[in-house]
Every structure is written in C-alpha cells, then in structure tokens.
C-alpha cells in the first residue's frame, strides 16, 4: 500500500518515528502486527499474569483476563477465522459493547491478518447496512439481540457476509438460525500461537467516519499505526505495565478502539471494560473503586459530571470521593471548555488534558502532555514527530502556513506520520482531495498562539458533532427523504449546552400535508427506527423553503441560522 505523498515530513520527525518504532517488540526489518504488540509481547514476558482486561458488567461483577489468557483466546479466534477460510485483508466486523468478545475479536482478527472494523451498537439498520456493504464485511460478531433486531433482515443483501458469530446474551436466546455460537466456536478452536502474517503496510483497521456529502467514508489504517498507538500511550498518558486505564468511548468509534483497546495494551496497562452506558453516579464510583490511574473521556460526559456536582446530592458524593489513584485525566472529541479543565482540577484533583485527533490521523496528534503547562481552552501542542500548522490554501493550490499568530486557518498536518490513514476505501478521489502540497487538511479550523498552543475554532464543513459522535447530515437526510410527506430535507447541528450540538432536521412538505404534531412524531419515529436513537434528529423544524446555492445545493450553514428563529 502506498502512503499518499510519501514522507514530506522533515528529517527530525522521521528520526523520531524510527526511534518509536524501535521501542516495539518485533524486529525492525520483520513483520509488524498491532495485536502482537498489544498482547503477545506481554503474555510471554514477566507481565503475562497481569490483567489486560478488567470487564465490569451491569451488576458490578468483575472478570479479569490476563495477558496470557488473552493471548490464548485471541490465538483461538485467529485460528477459527483461518478455519472459516478467512484470508488476510478480509474484513471482520463487530457490533458489540465493551464485553470480552469485543476484545477477543478485535485482537484475534488483527493477529490473523484480517481488517478489524467496529460498528456502533446504537446504530439502526440503515447505517449498519451501509457500512457492512461498503466495508465488505465477511465475518460479523454480534449479540443475538442485535442480529435479530437489526441485521438479519438484510443479510441477503450483503454478498460478502459469510459468517455470523453470536455472543451469548443475558436473555439466553442461543444462536439464531444461520449463525454460529461465539463461545462454543472459541472453545473448539486450536489455542496454539499464531505467527501474524502482516507487515507494517498491511491493512489492519477500518473506521467509518462521516463527511458533509455522500455515504460515510471508510478510513483504512495499516499495522504501522501501532507506532503512534504505543508512542502516545507512553507520551500522552504515561502508561506502563500495571497502570489502570479507563477510556470511556464506545468501541464503535475510533477512540473506543484505538484508546479503548489497542494503545493502552501495547503499554502493558490494564484496560477497564465497562459494559454499561454513562451514569454520572456510577462513573464517580467506578473511578474510585477501580483505582483508575489514567482516565480518557469526552467533554459531553465531563459536562454531565459537572452538572451532577452542582447539585447537593452530587456534592455529597464528590466531597467524599477518594481519587488518590488518579494521575491523569484527559479529554477528546469536541471542544473542551476552559471551565471544565478548571473544574477537574478543583473537584477531581486533576485538570483535564485536552487532546486532538481524528479518525484519519489514527492517533493523538496534538495534546496537553503531562509536564507542560495547560492553557485552559487550548488543545495543546503538536506531539514530537507531528508537524501541525494553521494554513491557508492559495488560489494556485499551494498551502502556506498563516504567518501571524492567532490567525484562523485550516488545521493541517505534514504527511508521513505512521498512523496516517492509507485510503478511503473505494474513494480514491475523496482520499486525494484531503491532501495538498505535502499536507493533510483536517477539515477543522484552528488558530495557533505566539507560544505554539493550538486553539480549536470550528469545523470547515457541515458535519455534526453530537456527544463526541461525528454525524453526517446526508445520512440523516436520506433516512427522512422517502417519508411520504417530505418534499425536501436539510440537516444541521444546533448548539447544545451539554452535547455540544444536537441533530436538527429542517423539512419542507409535499402539498396536502399539514405541519402538525402527528407528522412530526411520524418523522421522528421513522428516523429513529432506521438510524438508531444516537444518530436520529432530536428536533424537526417545518419550513417553507430551504436556503440553496445557485446550483441548488442546500446551504446547511444558513439552516442553522433559520433554526434560531421562533
Ligand atoms: C478522535 C475523534 C474528529 C473531529 C475533529 C474535530 C473534533 C476532536 C477535538 C475536537 C475540539 C478537540 N475534535 N478532538 N474538537 N477539540 N480536542 O474524535 O475522531 O470522530 O474522527 O472526529 O472531532 O472536529 O475533526 P473523529
């Protein structure tokens, strides 16, 4: 696989990444495999009996899986895949929560040389189908419930899907027809070690991400990304064997896989796998009871914790909380308000360290690293090896860094870092247009102050960030377009104090339909059924006309202004 715009990074950066590469266990001239770095290298050493995973279920039951056990379980899964006829590069998808099967599948698939792709379990059938089709999903691991409710109906429309493995769920339904029982298949599989067949450039991870237009993009990463996973696990989080690390992101998003599974394990840390969703009281308790040392979460959650802390009941809890084990708290995914940074310092004993990155960057690129003064509200500075700048695109196509400090421009990265995405699958033009003149253009607007700290300004496109989740307006519009009452629909984000933005749809109606409450409910229900609650619009606004460009494209930016009216 070719890295587009091969290595314009400067010599110092290349040396830096080469040095990081040498910290990994596999020989520099041999193969490279993320799962080997995350599991096997620890399993075979003195840290083999340390817990790799501490899985906590809804009733508070804790199950620990050591690196040695995880090595055997992932060997079994890798060999099972081989027995099922999977070839290197074939795609293995999960539609799971943070449960043991997720970790076994992700790491076992990587070991077998397959491409691992996580799906968000709150997606409805439409987004699932789009992604499984585009990613050519060959094996799906999910629960009986998810399978029957959302996926089984379109199985025949997925020509690449060969095997469905179903994890036993608390309802004990067993494996439905046409699926295999995950637990039994693992037990029956050969536990002997697997020599991963991959090199640094072989595809490893596929993450879907949303753009302004068209279907979601499938960003593909190679095994070399593990160089950044490991470097950031150490450099941003200071992780070492024995540390308890809790990343709260859902595994269906890039953060939940890269920092919820891979990066901390490469450093030998113990990962907290909390099966439940957000609950402020439970989260406070979990931080204390699990002696979390490093905590990686997101602004929406922090704002909800702050909200509870502002009540008498919340204060009673936080006043007595013992977070003495907490060494570092960090945040990602959306702008982190300065108040949140300071609240962390005052009430949890640690300020939040903001970090910036994207699905495409494959790992953290800009951060407030430990030991450097935090400027509350700033994302921090580029990591060593990362050349980031704020740039302008000249009419002749050249990319030039803006010269004056504090000037807003496009946040761009010099290409050539190891976890740079290698393609948008099947969309070469879209991939190429993310690069210009040796730079990767992030689609974010930012400014850099005189001391080199980066400040987030906004996005240059119309993508919505709601509770840290990237949502493409086009996908939401499509789910409403074929409602019999809808003439046209435009979707945009509306600012929200907790979630950052919420999804709002602006709808014009066909003649003969009344803009009433019953119709609003019918539209919301259709969107929720198809997209899932996390993606569906929370609000519908009926309008007479949608603002358009001369060529007839909906001006989503102006929609936002419309929505602020009565
Ligand atoms: C990791 C992840 C990427 C977009 C990114 C930006 C926003 C991420 C941020 C931030 C402000 C931060 N974003 N970190 N905005 N401050 N510290 O979130 O990946 O889902 O691809 O989203 O998220 O807009 O471009 P992804």
């Amino acid at each position: 696989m070719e890295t587009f715009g091969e290595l314009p990074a400067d010599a110092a950066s290349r040396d830096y990444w080469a040095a990081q590469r040498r910290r990994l266990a596999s020989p520099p001239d041999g193969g490279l495999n993320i799962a080997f770095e995350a599991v096997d290298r620890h399993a075979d050493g003195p840290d083999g009996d340390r817990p790799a995973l501490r899985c906590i279920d809804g009733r508070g039951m804790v199950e620990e899986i050591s690196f040695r056990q995880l090595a055997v379980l992932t060997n079994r899964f890798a060999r099972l895949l081989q027995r099922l006829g999977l070839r290197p590069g074939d795609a293995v998808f999960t539609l799971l929560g943070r449960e043991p099967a997720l970790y076994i599948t992700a790491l076992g698939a990587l070991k077998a040389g397959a491409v691992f792709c996580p799906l968000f379990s709150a997606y409805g059938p439409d987004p699932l189908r789009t992604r499984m089709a585009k990613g050519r999903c060959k094996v799906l691991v999910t629960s009986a419930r998810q399978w029957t409710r959302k996926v089984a109906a379109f199985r025949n429309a997925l020509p690449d899907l060969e095997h469905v493995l179903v994890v036993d769920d608390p309802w004990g339904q067993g494996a439905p027809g046409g699926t295999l029982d995950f637990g039994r298949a693992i037990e029956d599989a050969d536990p002997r070690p697997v020599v991963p067949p991959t090199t640094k450039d072989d595809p490893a991870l596929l993450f879907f991400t949303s753009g302004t237009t068209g279907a979601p993009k499938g960003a593909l990463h190679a095994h070399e990304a593990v160089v950044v996973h490991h470097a950031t696990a150490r450099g941003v989080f200071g992780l070492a064997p024995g540390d308890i690390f809790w990343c709260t992101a859902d595994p269906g998003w890039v953060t939940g896989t890269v920092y919820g599974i891979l990066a901390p394990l490469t450093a030998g840390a113990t990962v907290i796998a909390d099966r439940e969703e957000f609950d402020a009281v439970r989260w406070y308790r979990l931080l204390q009871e699990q002696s979390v040392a490093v905590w990686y979460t997101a602004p929406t959650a922090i704002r909800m914790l702050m909200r509870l802390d502002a009540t008498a009941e919340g204060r009673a809890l936080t006043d007595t909380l013992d977070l003495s084990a907490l060494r570092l708290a960090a945040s990602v995914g959306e702008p982190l308000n300065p108040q949140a940074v300071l609240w962390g310092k005052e009430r949890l004993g640690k300020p939040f360290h903001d970090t910036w990155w994207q699905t495409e960057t494959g790992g953290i690129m800009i951060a407030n690293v430990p030991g450097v003064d935090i400027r509350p509200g700033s994302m921090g500075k580029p990591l060593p090896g990362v050349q980031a700048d704020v740039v302008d695109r000249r009419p002749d196509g050249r990319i030039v860094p803006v010269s004056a400090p504090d000037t807003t421009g496009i946040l761009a990265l010099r290409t050539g870092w190891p976890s740079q995405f290698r393609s948008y699958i099947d969309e070469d033009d879209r991939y190429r247009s993310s690069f210009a003149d040796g730079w990767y253009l992030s689609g974010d607007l930012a400014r850099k102050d005189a001391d080199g700290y980066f400040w987030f300004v906004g996005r240059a496109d119309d993508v919505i960030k709601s509770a840290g989740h990237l949502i493409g307006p086009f996908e939401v519009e499509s789910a409403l377009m074929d409602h019999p009452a809808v003439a046209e629909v435009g979707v945009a984000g509306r600012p929200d104090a907790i979630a950052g933005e919420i999804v709002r749809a602006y709808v014009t109606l066909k003649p003969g339909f009344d803009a009433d409450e019953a119709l609003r409910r019918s539209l919301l229900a259709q969107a929720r059924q198809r997209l899932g609650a996390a993606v569906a619009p929370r609000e519908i606004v009926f309008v007479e006309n949608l603002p358009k460009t001369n060529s007839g494209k909906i001006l989503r930016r102006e929609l936002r202004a419309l929505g602020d009216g009565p």
Side-chain angles (χ1 to χ4, degrees):
M1 233 187 311
E2 171 213 19
T3 305
F4 184 66
E6 189 78 21
L7 290 179
D10 69 9
S13 227
R14 284 206 295 276
D15 288 352
Y16 174 80
W17 291 121
Q20 296 304 313
R21 168 73 182 82
R22 287 194 293 275
R23 299 192 111 124
L24 298 175
S26 52
D29 55 352
L32 189 61
N33 185 277
I34 300 174
F36 179 84
E37 301 300 331
V39 184
D40 297 48
R41 73 179 290 197
H42 307 296
D44 297 337
D47 295 314
D49 290 325
R50 285 189 195 274
L53 302 176
R54 194 181 279 172
C55 304
I56 302 161
D57 75 7
R59 289 159 300 164
M61 296 286 284
V62 177
E63 180 191 355
E64 285 194 343
I65 300 177
S66 71
F67 280 99
R68 225 186 292 279
Q69 289 167 325
L70 190 58
V72 174
L73 289 164
T74 51
N75 289 341
R76 286 178 183 271
F77 188 72
R79 286 184 179 271
L80 168 66
L81 290 179
Q82 288 165 349
R83 199 170 56 76
L84 293 175
L86 210 87
R87 308 275 273 258
D90 285 347
V92 174
F93 280 51
T94 49
L95 178 59
L96 291 169
R98 287 167 293 249
E99 53 197 292
L102 167 77
Y103 304 83
I104 297 168
T105 303
L107 295 157
L110 291 168
K111 258 191 195 181
V115 171
F116 172 67
C117 178
L119 293 166
F120 183 33
S121 40
Y123 274 146
D126 282 14
L128 294 175
R129 179 176 172 165
T130 313
R131 286 161 179 76
M132 289 174 72
K134 193 163 182 179
R136 290 187 279 280
C137 169
K138 203 150 202 177
V139 174
L140 173 70
V141 183
T142 186
S143 68
R145 196 178 158 90
Q146 290 269 16
W147 170 252
T148 354
R149 287 195 176 178
K150 297 187 194 163
V151 191
F154 60 83
R155 179 180 196 159
N156 292 337
L158 299 172
D160 297 293
L161 182 61
E162 287 179 5
H163 304 284
V164 178
L165 291 145
V166 162
V167 176
D168 195 20
D169 59 38
W171 295 272
Q173 297 173 19
T179 69
L180 299 168
D181 184 292
F182 178 87
R184 192 160 316 148
I186 290 278
E187 258 171 50
D188 292 346
D190 182 349
R192 281 175 305 151
V194 176
V195 179
T198 54
T199 67
K200 72 176 178 53
D201 294 318
D202 284 325
L205 301 166
L206 173 63
F207 299 111
F208 282 94
T209 182
S210 297
T212 306
T213 54
K217 305 176 271 193
L220 189 66
H221 291 273
H223 281 274
E224 195 182 9
V226 71
V227 177
V228 174
H229 301 166
H230 189 60
T232 50
R234 296 170 57 115
V236 178
F237 298 125
L239 290 177
D243 281 337
I244 308 283
F245 180 76
W246 183 24
C247 167
T248 62
D250 190 276
W253 302 91
V254 72
T255 308
T257 292
V258 170
Y259 291 100
I261 308 178
L262 309 173
L265 293 181
T266 70
T270 299
V271 164
I272 297 285
D274 173 34
R275 202 166 176 149
E276 294 293 292
E277 294 310 316
F278 178 85
D279 177 275
V281 172
R282 221 175 46 82
W283 274 30
Y284 278 125
R285 297 218 169 103
L286 216 91
L287 282 169
Q288 171 177 306
E289 284 163 14
Q290 295 302 324
S291 306
V292 173
V294 181
W295 182 38
Y296 198 26
T297 190
T300 295
I302 298 169
R303 288 188 286 260
M304 298 211 274
L305 293 171
M306 288 171 73
R307 194 169 60 176
L308 178 65
D309 190 41
T311 65
E313 177 209 3
R315 280 264 148 173
L317 172 67
T318 51
D319 277 343
T320 55
L321 212 57
D322 174 8
L323 298 184
S324 50
L326 187 66
R327 205 168 67 216
L328 186 95
S331 166
V332 65
E334 333 152 48
L336 179 66
N337 335 39
Q339 299 84 333
V341 177
L342 299 170
W343 172 82
K345 187 166 178 184
E346 193 187 314
R347 300 293 300 157
L348 308 178
K350 298 286 176 243
F352 282 97
H353 293 246
D354 197 10
T355 66
W356 177 91
W357 59 293
Q358 301 181 307
T359 301
E360 287 84 350
T361 71
I364 298 169
M365 297 281 112
I366 295 177
N368 290 280
V369 294
V372 175
D373 282 346
I374 294 180
R375 290 201 178 159
S378 153
M379 305 190 289
K381 294 184 177 184
L383 299 181
V386 174
Q387 296 167 275
D389 218 329
V390 174
V391 304
D392 260 346
R393 194 201 276 265
R394 290 282 156 84
D396 66 359
R398 272 191 322 128
I399 301 294
V400 257
V402 301
S403 38
D406 294 316
T407 310
T408 296
I410 305 164
L411 175 50
L413 303 169
R414 211 78 184 124
T415 61
W417 71 96
S419 61
Q420 183 179 315
F421 69 130
R422 302 298 181 92
S423 70
Y424 285 135
I425 47 169
D426 296 338
E427 290 184 284
D428 214 36
D429 288 348
R430 220 170 174 185
Y431 177 64
R432 281 172 193 274
S433 66
S434 326
F435 298 89
D437 211 7
W439 293 89
Y440 164 68
L441 306 171
S442 73
D444 281 356
L445 299 174
R447 59 191 171 79
K448 187 171 74 165
D449 68 21
D451 300 314
Y453 285 84
F454 282 69
W455 301 73
F456 183 79
V457 173
R459 288 194 59 103
D461 59 16
D462 293 328
V463 167
I464 301 159
K465 258 272 162 151
S466 187
H469 300 155
L470 214 51
I471 296 171
F474 178 77
E475 211 170 9
V476 181
E477 288 159 6
S478 306
L480 285 170
M481 254 331 276
D482 61 357
H483 188 285
V486 171
E488 285 186 300
V489 52
V491 164
R494 174 173 70 73
D496 179 80
I498 296 288
E501 286 185 294
I502 61 164
V503 181
R504 189 189 237 182
Y506 300 82
V507 175
T508 65
L509 296 177
K510 289 183 183 156
F513 287 94
D514 291 330
D516 57 17
E517 197 45 39
L519 181 55
R520 184 195 314 275
R521 274 204 298 271
S522 152
L523 289 168
L524 286 172
Q526 169 160 329
R528 236 173 257 152
Q529 195 274 326
R530 299 211 177 165
L531 298 166
V535 182
R538 289 252 293 273
E539 294 176 357
I540 304 269
V541 179
F542 294 115
V543 290
E544 290 295 321
N545 292 297
L546 294 176
K548 303 233 180 84
T549 62
N550 289 337
S551 61
K553 277 194 198 151
I554 296 168
L555 278 163
R556 297 201 181 86
R557 211 139 293 199
E558 289 188 18
L559 284 178
R560 277 181 229 172
L562 264 190
D564 294 335

